[in-house]
Amino acid sequence: MTDRPFIRRLRRTHSEAAALFYLAICAVLLVWALVATMGDDSGESMAGVIPLLATAPGSLVVLALPDDPLWFIAAVALGAEVNAAVIGWCARALGRGDGPGPAS
């Protein structure tokens, strides 16, 4: 089985510590929001807003999806993955030192 360039790039991006730390924070926020929402009998919990904002702009697609907890989880997971890929790419670029050279 050949290793596809997209999968290789995704694996390399998610191997950065900053991206893994971000994904862990998003997972904790998502679990907290689900527990807080299930524990609220009034149905007026706003706990779901926190993971949505933490994974925006990718997770804001949930506004167009049907009102279902599975769609909410999928939108937050998708937003977290996209943002983690961007964070990993930025961390790699900063680590390489691809910035402009010193001014002469």
Side-chain angles (χ1 to χ4, degrees):
M1 183 172 150
T2 62
D3 195 19
R4 297 184 191 129
F6 175 74
I7 304 244
R8 190 178 324 136
R9 207 171 325 146
L10 191 64
R11 189 178 314 135
R12 190 173 57 211
T13 340
H14 284 62
S15 66
E16 294 291 332
L20 292 175
F21 183 68
Y22 173 77
L23 284 174
I25 288 174
C26 290
V28 168
L29 287 175
L30 180 62
V31 169
W32 169 78
L34 292 174
V35 169
T37 302
M38 283 188 234
D40 184 22
D41 293 335
S42 68
E44 298 175 356
S45 175
M46 294 292 291
V49 173
I50 302 298
L52 281 177
L53 290 177
T55 57
S59 65
L60 294 181
V61 77
V62 78
L63 298 175
L65 296 175
D67 190 22
D68 187 13
L70 291 177
W71 286 113
F72 171 75
I73 293 169
V76 169
L78 174 71
E81 285 295 323
V82 168
N83 289 347
V86 170
I87 290 169
W89 176 79
C90 289
R92 271 195 346 272
L94 289 172
R96 282 192 313 250
D98 284 347
S104 314

